[in-house]
């Protein structure tokens, strides 16, 4: 593995030395590939345009990231920014020098890459959804073929930039991003075949959230009981990150777990709320849907600005859970109902 890691470090150093002027692009690619973008941007748009696609996005993102966390705990993957300082591979010779960036110092294990896995799964869902729309609209065969090739090429280019960005940032080795991309597509393909996710009851959402959380916590406690420390990466991040403020608690496995569980549970609450069912029965125009999208995105940006200090871990995890649950409730339940209420009020005013 040391030889494979050394090749990865050499590639990171080469990218940093040769393509340093593209640092902004690589930083943007890593930011957009984070599932935060899916929850706070892609989901509210798709929910009001094509509900089934939005539901599939959430299930693929949540299950994919949960599976990614379990794989990271099992595979014990290193990260370049600390491995290069601790390895004995280079002997007495100098080790390559790697730059670090504000998004480099993630605190979890490195294999497989969560960004590459999440981006692959999410883009797979969106590309297949757009192709399904083209099929429903009876797109001409030749045009459909061009659209199909174009969308898959676009997805490949996006995934390539995301993978290169993670290597450039010294957050992952090349084999970790490749593994993440493959795993992301596989998870998306498997989840997409499940039809029950489109009509899941509140009880199913509750049990799914409970099972995923309990399994992860139980797995952690069992391995800890037999002497395996699954948080072995946190001291390494704190030791080798060049700036202490770049070590973010929200990149830890449990923070990610609670965010995802909050999203899944919030989706169940939103879809089975009386406010949502009342709104769903009404026939809404394209203008109403666009209004829901715009208002939802605006409110989600305000919510995103709400940050909280990681002083107390339990409080931090609880607030992370709640914040992501509210982020899903806004576009599914709160905004549509509020706009319906405003529209109904205007109609009554005109009648008077």
């Amino acid at each position: 593995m040391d030889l494979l890691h050394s090749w990865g470090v050499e590639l990171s150093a080469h990218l940093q030395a040769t393509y340093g002027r593209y640092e902004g692009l690589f930083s943007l690619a890593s930011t957009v590939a984070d599932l935060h973008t899916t929850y706070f941007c892609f989901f509210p748009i798709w929910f009001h345009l094509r509900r089934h696609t939005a539901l599939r996005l959430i299930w693929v993102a949540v299950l994919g990231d949960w599976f990614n966390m379990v794989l990271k705990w099992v595979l014990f993957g290193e990260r370049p920014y600390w491995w290069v300082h601790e390895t004995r591979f280079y002997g007495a010779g100098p080790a390559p020098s790697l730059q670090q960036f504000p998004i480099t110092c993630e605190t979890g294990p490195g294999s497989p890459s969560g960004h590459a896995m999440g981006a692959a799964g999410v883009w797979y869902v969106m590309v297949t959804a757009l192709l399904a729309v083209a099929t429903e609209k009876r797109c001409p065969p030749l045009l459909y073929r061009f659209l199909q090739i174009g969308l898959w090429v676009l997805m490949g280019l996006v995934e390539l930039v995301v993978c290169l960005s993670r290597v450039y940032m010294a957050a992952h080795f090349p084999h970790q991003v490749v593994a993440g991309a493959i795993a992301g597509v596989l998870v998306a393909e498997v989840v997409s075949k499940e039809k029950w996710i489109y009509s899941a009851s509140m009880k199913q959402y509750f049990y799914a959230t409970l099972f995923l959380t309990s399994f992860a916590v139980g797995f952690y406690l069992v391995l800890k009981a037999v002497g395996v420390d699954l948080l072995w990466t946190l001291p390494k991040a704190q030791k080798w990150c060049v700036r202490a403020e770049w070590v973010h608690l929200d990149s830890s496995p449990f923070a990610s777990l609670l965010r995802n569980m909050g999203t899944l549970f919030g989706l169940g609450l939103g879809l089975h709320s009386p406010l949502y069912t009342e709104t769903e029965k009404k026939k809404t125009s394209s203008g109403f849907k666009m209004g829901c999208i715009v208002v939802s995105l605006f409110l989600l940006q305000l919510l995103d600005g709400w940050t909280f200090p990681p002083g107390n871990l339990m409080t931090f995890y609880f607030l992370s859970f709640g914040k992501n649950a509210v982020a899903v409730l806004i576009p599914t339940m709160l905004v549509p109902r509020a706009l319906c209420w405003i529209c109904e009020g205007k109609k009554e005013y005109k009648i008077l």
Side-chain angles (χ1 to χ4, degrees):
M1 286 300 292
D2 281 345
L3 181 61
L4 186 61
H5 287 155
S6 69
W7 291 343
V9 167
E10 289 176 10
L11 179 57
S12 294
H14 172 73
L15 290 175
Q16 292 177 355
T18 309
Y19 300 100
R21 61 187 180 278
Y22 296 113
E23 177 187 334
L25 173 63
F26 288 139
S27 179
L28 177 64
S30 285
T31 301
V32 173
D34 192 280
L35 290 181
H36 172 276
T37 304
T38 300
Y39 300 149
F40 281 73
C41 183
F42 294 152
F43 173 74
I45 295 173
W46 279 104
F47 186 79
H48 294 290
L49 295 180
R50 195 174 176 87
R51 179 176 173 272
H52 276 23
T53 300
L55 299 184
R56 195 151 52 103
L57 272 177
I58 293 296
W59 280 97
V60 167
V62 168
L63 294 179
D65 206 45
W66 180 86
F67 187 51
N68 178 267
M69 178 192 68
V70 174
L71 286 177
K72 283 181 175 178
W73 279 348
V74 172
L75 297 178
F76 291 89
E78 303 278 355
R79 290 186 184 269
Y81 77 90
W82 75 57
W83 178 86
V84 73
H85 296 290
E86 296 187 343
T87 183
R88 298 181 181 179
F89 179 80
Y90 301 103
S97 178
L98 293 179
Q99 298 179 54
Q100 293 184 19
F101 307 89
I103 58 176
T104 294
C105 304
E106 296 197 2
T107 57
S111 187
S113 167
H115 283 73
M117 188 169 174
V122 166
W123 275 84
Y124 181 91
V125 170
M126 293 194 294
V127 167
T128 53
L130 290 173
L131 292 177
V133 171
T135 301
E136 292 172 5
K137 299 296 182 181
R138 296 183 179 179
C139 181
L142 183 60
L143 181 59
Y144 178 83
R145 187 62 177 169
F146 278 116
L147 179 64
Q148 186 181 43
I149 294 173
L151 288 175
W152 288 120
V153 169
L154 176 62
M155 174 182 164
L157 290 175
V158 169
E159 188 65 18
L160 177 62
V161 174
V162 170
C163 291
L164 288 175
S165 74
R166 304 308 292 160
V167 177
Y168 176 89
M169 295 293 170
H172 287 287
F173 294 101
H175 69 278
Q176 295 174 343
V177 295
V178 171
I182 295 173
V185 171
L186 291 176
V187 169
E189 175 63 22
V190 171
V191 174
S192 297
K193 292 180 179 178
E194 298 296 327
K195 303 303 180 184
W196 65 269
I197 61 175
Y198 306 122
S199 58
S201 64
M202 185 63 229
K203 183 181 293 186
Q204 287 175 304
Y205 275 99
F206 174 77
Y207 285 140
T209 304
L210 182 63
F211 170 76
L212 294 174
T213 305
S214 301
F215 183 93
V217 174
F219 187 58
Y220 169 79
L221 293 176
V222 168
L223 290 183
K224 185 177 181 180
V226 297
V228 179
D229 182 15
L230 294 180
L231 301 181
W232 60 277
T233 56
L234 182 58
K236 292 178 181 288
Q238 293 171 332
K239 179 178 181 180
W240 296 115
C241 192
V242 295
R243 298 180 64 173
E245 62 269 25
W246 288 355
V247 180
H248 301 292
L249 182 63
D250 59 4
S251 66
S252 66
F254 279 115
S256 174
L257 173 68
L258 269 296
R259 282 198 305 271
N260 290 320
M261 294 305 101
T263 298
L264 187 61
F265 189 69
L267 180 61
L269 286 178
L271 294 178
H272 295 89
S273 165
L275 296 180
Y276 171 76
T277 53
E278 289 177 11
T279 307
E280 189 184 23
K281 294 176 183 178
K282 303 178 184 295
K283 291 184 178 181
T284 54
S285 64
S286 298
F288 179 84
K289 292 178 180 179
M290 290 304 299
C292 287
I293 292 173
V294 172
V295 175
S296 295
L297 291 176
F298 174 73
L299 292 178
L300 286 172
Q301 291 308 306
L302 295 180
L303 176 65
D304 193 30
W306 177 45
T307 58
F308 25 87
N312 184 290
L313 285 180
M314 293 305 297
T315 302
F316 180 83
Y317 291 149
F318 176 78
L319 291 177
S320 296
F321 181 95
K323 179 179 178 179
N324 272 56
V326 172
V328 179
L329 291 174
I330 287 174
T332 57
M333 178 185 73
L334 299 178
V335 169
R337 188 67 191 102
L339 292 185
C340 275
W341 179 76
I342 293 173
C343 292
E344 289 170 356
K346 287 184 176 180
K347 289 179 180 178
E348 292 177 0
Y349 178 78
K350 288 182 179 179
I351 294 173
L352 295 174

